[in-house]
Amino acid sequence: MARIVQKFGGTSVGDLDRIRNAARRVKQAVDRGEQVAVVVSAMSGETNRLDGWTREISPLHDTREYDVVVSAGEQVTCGLMAMALQDIQVPARSWLGWQVPIVTDDLHGRARIESIDTEMIGGRIDGGEVAVVAGFQGLGPRNRITTLGRGGSDASAVALAAALGAERCDIFTDVDGVYTTDPRIVAKARKLDRIAYEEMLEMASLGAKVLQTRAVELAMRHRVTLQVVSSFEDVPGTFLVDEDEIVEKNIVSGIAYSRDEAKITLAHIADRPGVAASVFGPLADAGINVDMIVQSSSQDGRSADITFTIGKSDLNRTLEVLEGNRGALEYRELMSDADVVKVSVIGVGMRTHAGVAQQMFHTLSDKGINIQVISTSEIKVSVLIAEEYTELALRSLHSAYGLDAE
Ligand code: ADP
Ligand code: ASP
Ligand code: MG
């Protein structure tokens, strides 16, 4: 019998009716003769609520306790889902992360899965029982509960599919597939029947939250057949496939955006060897990830401006670190801006076609949108712009690259 994994995201289990609806999707698979493991997220909004409490009670909290709190939402939905299944005569039981166990490293708040013991859970599935697993949760090395980073239930599902040797992993969500860009912002976004793993990886890491980046990495590495599909409508979703399986290739296949960015500028910093290291070294030591960087020298050649981006949630800590090192860095001014968005165009076709970046710059300048920072890689171009232009930029780029649905 074929095994499959079905993952239901926050909106798909957002209330009791939706949990019942999801349970019916599971029953359909069981009735088709499939062995099913279900992975559930917390009800939508729940993890944010729990996360908010941890910040309120203690801004610089112990991340081990943070995980105890934020992992709680998934405990509720997995129990409720098991009950909903039992109610429609589908044998089912819930599994918390530690009960499987899903073993992770000890990076609390963003732990990585190291292994999944499938002996017990596999046996129960073979016996005809649906296993309902709490997504997002893991078991760390010292018997502590860990969580897999926001959106991490996707990674739970893919890792479980790989460990169980599942034929397919279906990610049920509130859109019916992966689109050329976020369909909630661009009405003309087009649904893709298939997307290359690598493109999906870029899309996810550049902000398209329809799939978590780690989940795409895992699917790619373990060759898991992954489908993003609607939990509300019975229509085909989007499959992740190898690049050479896509016949009709666009140069640009998608556009992503991330509002989770903040910009820092160090003005008039000494222009001498070692300066970049002395700025970014302390940030790395503080565990702060720096993304885009530009440096420009002043006319006199003695000073420079360094501008870079970091995650919005790291802004305060970044300012603290830089202010703390002001003596050594000798900058004249430290500026920050959290009202920025990173917009990226992505496509494997860029490997062989020039002019994508140029078209992006043109399109944005036609709309009077100023580009603050640029970064490129083999298959993407990203720009940082003022947040107020997010929608305008996405819509105009979407049209300019010929992605609009008819
Ligand atoms: P879930 O709660 O099911 O995990 P998420 O909110 O994490 O769902 O992801 C689904 C959302 O991702 C959609 O509602 C949509 O707004 C957003 N999204 C962003 N970019 C895309 C894209 N390119 N294609 C589809 N959805 C996207
Ligand atoms: N509930 C977690 C979150 O909101 C995990 C997930 O939904 O994938 O980030
Ligand atoms: Mg999600």
Side-chain angles (χ1 to χ4, degrees):
M1 255 205 274
R3 282 178 176 175
I4 61 163
V5 171
Q6 297 185 316
K7 180 255 169 180
F8 293 92
T11 19
S12 309
V13 293
D15 59 35
L16 299 185
D17 275 341
R18 289 188 170 181
I19 292 178
R20 288 191 195 98
N21 169 65
R24 281 193 292 273
R25 304 299 291 249
V26 177
K27 184 173 175 4
Q28 283 168 6
V30 171
D31 291 346
R32 282 196 301 268
E34 287 168 319
Q35 293 185 341
V36 192
V38 177
V39 173
V40 287
S41 289
M43 291 182 177
S44 57
E46 192 58 19
T47 312
N48 284 347
R49 191 169 72 104
L50 300 169
D51 175 280
W53 281 344
T54 66
R55 285 168 209 277
E56 254 183 68
I57 201 148
S58 160
L60 291 174
H61 46 247
D62 178 345
T63 53
R64 291 164 297 190
E65 302 306 345
Y66 170 85
D67 279 347
V68 172
V69 178
V70 297
S71 60
E74 273 73 9
Q75 170 153 349
V76 174
T77 43
C78 83
L80 290 173
M81 176 66 84
M83 289 177 190
L85 285 166
Q86 291 167 358
D87 256 16
I88 52 174
Q89 282 72 52
V90 177
R93 76 152 269 195
S94 63
W95 298 78
L96 298 178
W98 65 269
Q99 291 173 313
V100 177
I102 296 176
V103 177
T104 72
D105 60 20
D106 63 356
L107 280 174
H108 284 275
R110 52 192 168 98
R112 282 176 171 254
I113 297 176
E114 284 180 345
S115 63
I116 298 182
D117 186 343
T118 55
E119 202 186 314
M120 268 197 301
I121 195 171
R124 297 290 280 262
I125 292 174
D126 285 340
E129 191 177 76
V130 170
V132 186
V133 179
F136 193 42
Q137 303 181 347
L139 177 65
R142 270 171 290 277
N143 253 3
R144 303 293 303 255
I145 289 176
T146 55
T147 61
L148 306 177
R150 296 307 304 270
S153 296
D154 292 338
S156 312
V158 176
L160 190 62
L164 288 171
E167 194 166 84
R168 196 175 75 242
C169 179
D170 287 337
I171 304 285
F172 287 90
T173 185
D174 57 0
V175 281
D176 60 2
V178 178
Y179 281 69
T180 45
T181 191
D182 190 340
R184 301 202 189 283
I185 295 206
V186 179
K188 288 183 180 161
R190 207 152 33 84
K191 183 168 132 188
L192 302 164
D193 297 331
R194 302 194 279 181
I195 183 166
Y197 285 106
E198 273 189 63
E199 285 173 332
M200 190 64 240
L201 194 59
E202 288 283 353
M203 292 267 277
S205 69
L206 294 166
K209 66 173 187 154
V210 62
L211 281 177
Q212 194 212 27
T213 310
R214 273 292 288 152
V216 184
E217 271 169 21
L218 285 168
M220 200 164 150
R221 173 140 32 96
H222 298 286
R223 320 297 314 159
V224 173
T225 302
L226 186 77
Q227 182 185 201
V228 175
V229 62
S230 165
S231 56
F232 306 122
E233 280 173 276
D234 215 350
V235 291
T238 302
F239 277 96
L240 266 56
V241 297
D242 285 324
E243 201 175 316
D244 53 19
E245 283 180 55
I246 296 180
V247 192
E248 209 186 300
K249 288 195 183 82
N250 284 320
I251 299 170
V252 167
S253 52
I255 305 176
Y257 68 97
S258 165
R259 289 194 165 102
D260 176 38
E261 313 286 321
K263 184 183 74 168
I264 305 271
T265 300
L266 291 165
H268 289 275
I269 191 162
D271 195 5
R272 55 174 153 72
V275 164
S278 56
V279 172
F280 298 116
L283 294 178
D285 293 342
I288 296 166
N289 266 332
V290 172
D291 180 18
M292 311 165 98
I293 304 178
V294 277
Q295 176 174 342
S296 49
S297 297
S298 70
Q299 298 286 356
D300 61 14
R302 276 198 298 263
S303 71
D305 291 347
I306 297 183
T307 296
F308 59 93
T309 64
I310 44 157
K312 219 171 231 169
S313 57
D314 287 334
L315 179 57
N316 289 340
R317 274 195 314 132
T318 304
L319 293 174
E320 258 171 48
V321 171
L322 294 172
E323 274 155 13
N325 282 285
R326 183 161 197 157
L329 296 175
E330 297 171 50
Y331 52 82
R332 198 178 296 165
E333 213 182 335
L334 169 61
M335 291 169 282
S336 68
D337 183 0
D339 298 325
V340 288
V341 61
K342 181 170 70 174
V343 174
S344 310
V345 298
I346 297 130
V348 287
M350 279 184 217
R351 287 204 185 103
T352 45
H353 286 79
V356 171
Q358 179 59 8
Q359 190 169 6
M360 184 175 200
F361 306 154
H362 254 302
T363 307
L364 295 175
S365 91
D366 279 352
K367 298 286 173 194
I369 301 173
N370 184 40
I371 298 172
Q372 305 178 10
V373 191
I374 302 170
S375 74
T376 64
S377 77
E378 208 187 2
I379 65 166
K380 65 105 175 155
V381 185
S382 301
V383 296
L384 193 77
I385 60 172
E387 191 175 5
E388 60 185 304
Y389 296 123
T390 310
E391 274 140 54
L392 179 61
L394 287 177
R395 276 195 223 110
S396 3
L397 291 169
H398 200 263
S399 300
Y401 289 109
L403 297 173
D404 286 355
E406 285 85 50

